[in-house]
Amino acid sequence: MAQDLTLLLAFEDEALLARELAEALGLRLDFIRRHRFPDGELRLVLPKPLPEAVILLRGLQQPNEKMVELLIAAPAARELGARHVVLVTPYLAYMRQDIEFTPGEAVSQRHVARWLAQLFDRVITLDPHLHRIASLDEVMPPGVGIALSVAPVLGAWIARHVPGALLIGPDEESGQWVKEAALAGGLDHAVGRKLREGDHQVRLALPEVEVKGRAVVLLDDMASTGRTLIGSAEQLLARGAASVDVAVTHALFNGDALPLLKAAGVRHVWSSNAVPHESNAVSIVPLLVDAIRALG
Ligand code: R5P
């Protein structure tokens, strides 16, 4: 399929990443034009006709309306001539709701993943929040979902900017990313535990490692309200850390997350450009290029 891919489709609000990706892959880039009617409905206009195989780039930060875009754009692309449609969704939403936390609660991870696999031939994403499952194959037909990891790239970035840093993951699920980043950067690492008590309330038990005088970098797959990182930074600085920086794959930083993180004493905030944000420091494009070229 890779050799048939000639077109990257994207939305204007992700033009920066789309341009970088299209250029790196030598693909034509075209945009889906989008109009939001007064009642909230969406009108999408795709380029016509479409080649046999297309890539659609759409990150699912602030996901709900974008999911409607996908619901419409995928079958529309097929009607316009595409036989293979690959979704590149740098941030895959709804992955944290992975068990029935409350009786009757929908396990959104399963339903969203299955639904995307029905719309697209392949779904490529980065550091999806897989905690209680090991692979996207457990929630999509085998081979459809491709999960890449930015953690080694972040680890190398951290090692260059904070030599000898101690990497700390705030909770058990961050262990997978922290280990990969530490390995890539040749850094020490440790992982804590977290109990989420509400959207903005977390109880943190950071690891009992010596942080006094050390440059600590907190690493996680995402920051949403930022409360996980804010609470961690406050504790680490209170324990005598020389500095606390933050690195995440997905810079959601909703609401007051970023100013509160700064107010907590965090020095640098770095992220990948999986989600467009002022903190973007490392590019996901080389990872995407390799994965797209390897598509069978
Ligand atoms: C979940 O455990 C994730 O890995 C993040 O730690 C979490 O989503 C961050 O959320 P918030 O920024 O709202 O604390």
Side-chain angles (χ1 to χ4, degrees), residues 77 129 188:
H129 191 88
D188 296 339

Side-chain angles (χ1 to χ4, degrees), residues 96-108 132 196:
R96 284 173 295 176
Q97 285 169 251
D98 58 357
I99 51 164
E100 190 181 343
F101 292 100
T102 302
E105 182 177 339
V107 183
S108 310
R132 292 175 182 85
R196 183 167 287 281

Side-chain angles (χ1 to χ4, degrees), residues 71 81 120 160 169 177 205 290:
L71 174 71
F120 297 96
R160 278 201 306 281
W177 302 293
D290 288 348

